[in-house]
Amino acid sequence: MSHATLRELAKIGTGLVVADIISTLWYSTSGFLPMTLLGVRWTAAMVPEILVFDIALLILLVHFGWNMKLPIQSPSERTLLLVAGIIFLAMAVGHLAQLALGTHLWLGDFAVPAWISWLGILLAGYLAYSCFHFTRHMRGR
């Protein structure tokens, strides 16, 4: 995939994350929680964890979509990509462990279902690969 395509996908992802933040805040302040959606029980206790994750993801997507020039020119951008790649790799390994060992991942009061783990392996694995790939392709190396 070309760098321009990945940047445009990051911009689309930014919009989706902003929509998720707005809808999470709306659900939590409108009294809709607790509720069950797609077989998952969403409670008010989960809102801070969801917002922290969404804000961290939003920062990464905004930086990649609008500020980062490829190939990487700055050591600080290389470090950011390396840290993001390690986090995404840990997420993929966690989902893989859940499926391989038959255990459950818990986020607060929420048990992560198996179908989310399959999606998590694919998405987090690809994002980790992309981060490490772009880290290796630094200008001037």
Side-chain angles (χ1 to χ4, degrees), residues 52-136:
V52 166
F53 176 80
D54 281 350
I55 290 170
L57 184 58
L58 181 67
I59 291 168
L60 285 172
L61 289 172
V62 165
H63 178 71
F64 184 76
W66 281 277
N67 297 324
M68 192 163 62
K69 307 293 184 237
L70 295 172
I72 303 300
Q73 299 176 9
S74 152
S76 62
E77 286 181 340
R78 184 175 186 270
T79 302
L80 173 70
L81 279 177
L82 187 62
V83 169
I86 290 169
I87 292 169
F88 286 130
L89 182 62
M91 289 172 57
V93 168
H95 286 295
L96 184 63
Q98 178 192 3
L99 293 174
L101 302 174
T103 60
H104 293 284
L105 294 177
W106 288 86
L107 299 174
D109 296 334
F110 173 67
V112 178
W115 67 269
I116 291 180
S117 287
W118 284 109
L119 185 63
I121 290 170
L122 293 174
L123 290 176
Y126 178 73
L127 289 171
Y129 165 77
S130 295
C131 287
F132 294 138
H133 174 76
F134 291 137
T135 301
R136 285 192 315 264

Side-chain angles (χ1 to χ4, degrees), residues 21-33 43-45 47-48 51:
I21 290 171
I22 291 169
S23 63
T24 300
L25 290 172
W26 179 59
Y27 284 142
S28 67
T29 58
S30 298
F32 288 120
L33 297 177
T43 64
V47 171
L51 291 176

Side-chain angles (χ1 to χ4, degrees), residues 31-47:
F32 288 120
L33 297 177
M35 71 178 190
T36 302
L37 181 67
L38 299 174
V40 177
R41 181 90 172 142
W42 300 93
T43 64
M46 298 168 62
V47 171

